[in-house]
Amino acid sequence: VSLIAHLDADAFYVSVELLRRPELRGLPVVVAGSGPRAVVTTASYEARKFGVFSATPASRARRLCPDAVFIPPDFPFYREASKRVMDILRSHVERVEVVGLDEAYLDLDGLISPKAAMRRLIADVREQTGLTCSVGIGPNKLVAKVASDAEKPRGFVVLSREQACERFAASPPGLVPGIGPKTVERLERLGVTTLGALAAAPDELLAQQFGANHGPDLRRLARFEGAGQLTLDRVAVSESRETTFDCDVADAEELERILDRLTARLCEGLAKADRRGRTIAIKVRLDDFSTFTRARTIGAATNDPAVVGEVARALLREFGASRPVRLLGVRVASFDHAADAGEVPQLRMAV
DNA sequence: TCTGGGGTCCTGTTCCGC
DNA sequence: TCTGGCGGAACAGGACCC
């Protein structure tokens, strides 16, 4: 009884850049950082023909497509454009769940003619922002999402759950969000290479291989059974800052100085959002790409850089990196959001 | 040719208090 | 007083997503 649309802006960062550099239209354009370890955040469809996609290392992208125009990312600019798009969505539809900068779910329940409404909406976005979108419509978020992916750019795909099952029965399981590379590989080793096969796989096999929760989850995904409800206001659970170094860093004092700078930036962001947290964590990635986290929870929520910094430095010293460090990060979680502000924590009485 | 930054959620383990 | 079991919180890691 529910009807949901998923709207996805096509090649969003690149498309936003093209708004201010229209002379690049039709060329392979890649938004990527400039450092030796940067990756591609978005590639135009012309660049994708050369095998350049999101998450392709920038160095590789340059080799695959030396004639592409490389543009460093400008996130404040993309956030602005995103806000304009989302405001248009909210002017058309009451209930909108924003997911990242470039996509959103819309609750179409109760609309007289939902398809026409979505056609008008994307025309409106195009007129007011110059950006094009792909849309999927279905009975739940999962169908809507996969449908919006199916014919992009500028796709418009409407499917029932049964139609989705039929249409994608021969597709690899990784087509569905929630089934990533690791799960795809495990499924392949079991001889399950399509969504149809996964949907038909015996319960016991999946439960035995993937556990009592994840097994049934996979079946539901393969059958396109999913949430019919949106999460309208999502509250942040954590906030973090991290950086990958151009060259690995082995010096402990330098690592602490970098950690301090990350902490300062993180606390600025926390203060701006008026958020405080009780859990402080660091993340360390070594030169062999092994990744570790260490966390400590303190008595009172904070966003004070002195407090966060002291705990973070202690965690880093206790970790004592055994090899050169590639990435360092700091995170604050366990927020005491405004709704809890008046609550007094229960004290445990000693007996 | 290696592999960003910002997140979320789940799971298994450990510890601790009752 | 000792012990066992239980449950919650914290922690670490991993998978996944944009």
Side-chain angles (χ1 to χ4, degrees):
Chain A
V1 243
S2 78
L3 192 65
I4 289 173
H6 182 257
L7 179 142
D8 194 323
D10 298 322
F12 184 63
Y13 299 164
V14 163
S15 302
V16 173
E17 290 292 349
L18 291 178
L19 295 176
R20 56 179 173 188
R21 301 178 67 175
E23 73 277 9
L24 299 181
R25 235 168 245 290
L27 301 178
V29 175
V30 171
V31 174
S34 55
R37 287 168 168 176
V39 298
V40 173
T41 57
T42 312
S44 70
Y45 286 89
E46 292 81 1
R48 293 180 199 194
K49 290 181 200 149
F50 293 84
V52 176
F53 303 94
S54 296
T56 302
S59 57
R60 183 169 148 80
R62 265 174 240 282
R63 255 180 293 113
L64 287 169
C65 189
D67 294 332
V69 179
F70 284 77
I71 302 178
D74 178 358
F75 285 98
F77 190 51
Y78 309 149
R79 268 191 287 271
E80 241 176 77
S82 173
K83 185 175 181 309
R84 285 197 288 139
V85 172
M86 298 307 166
D87 283 346
I88 295 169
L89 304 197
R90 279 185 283 256
S91 75
H92 282 247
V93 177
E94 267 183 60
R95 291 175 298 277
V96 176
E97 175 178 343
V98 177
V99 184
L101 291 184
D102 67 335
E103 52 181 271
Y105 292 97
L106 295 85
D107 185 350
L108 304 183
D109 244 9
L111 265 59
I112 306 292
S113 72
K115 281 192 262 181
M118 287 307 294
R119 293 280 190 192
R120 284 197 300 275
L121 191 160
I122 53 180
D124 209 5
V125 169
R126 181 130 194 238
E127 274 171 36
Q128 292 189 40
T129 69
L131 298 168
T132 67
C133 300
S134 294
V135 166
I137 298 177
N140 57 48
K141 291 209 274 189
L142 182 56
V143 173
K145 165 82 176 165
V146 174
S148 77
D149 268 336
E151 295 184 15
K152 62 175 52 168
R154 299 171 71 176
F156 194 98
V157 176
V158 185
L159 294 173
S160 68
R161 188 190 70 82
E162 291 78 6
Q163 287 171 328
C165 287
E166 279 175 43
R167 176 158 174 172
F168 303 112
S171 300
L175 184 81
V176 161
I179 302 182
K182 300 289 179 183
T183 306
V184 166
E185 203 193 309
R186 286 175 69 185
L187 287 169
E188 267 169 15
R189 275 189 259 121
L190 296 173
V192 177
T193 58
T194 65
L195 282 171
L198 180 57
D203 261 337
E204 318 83 64
L205 174 75
L206 293 178
Q208 171 219 325
Q209 290 293 321
F210 294 95
N213 291 324
H214 196 211
D217 277 353
L218 289 174
R219 268 174 83 81
R220 279 191 287 274
L221 289 175
R223 292 165 186 234
F224 287 90
E225 297 164 1
Q229 275 170 353
L230 307 189
T231 310
L232 293 183
D233 28 28
R234 301 153 72 105
V235 255
V237 169
S238 69
E239 190 169 331
S240 62
R241 294 295 179 273
E242 66 184 51
T243 187
T244 295
F245 310 129
D246 288 350
C247 295
D248 300 335
V249 175
D251 181 61
E253 281 181 28
E254 190 180 351
L255 287 171
E256 286 201 19
R257 283 194 296 273
I258 295 161
L259 189 60
D260 280 341
R261 287 202 291 274
L262 289 168
T263 300
R265 282 209 283 138
L266 174 58
C267 288
E268 253 178 68
L270 290 168
K272 200 176 287 179
D274 196 31
R275 283 198 281 251
R276 289 165 194 79
R278 291 171 48 234
T279 302
I280 293 144
I282 62 163
K283 173 172 165 182
V284 181
R285 175 170 291 154
L286 303 180
D287 59 349
D288 64 354
F289 222 71
S290 58
T291 307
F292 303 87
T293 62
R294 291 294 182 270
R296 178 162 299 155
T297 299
I298 60 175
T302 185
N303 58 17
D304 180 344
V307 176
V308 176
E310 185 163 346
V311 176
R313 279 193 306 272
L315 289 167
L316 182 62
R317 277 196 292 269
E318 288 161 26
F319 177 72
S322 52
R323 322 169 49 104
V325 173
R326 175 191 181 93
L327 170 151
L328 190 60
V330 59
R331 184 172 68 98
V332 167
S334 316
F335 293 142
D336 63 336
H337 29 77
D340 298 351
E343 249 173 63
V344 179
Q346 286 288 317
L347 288 179
R348 278 242 151 102
M349 303 298 286
V351 177

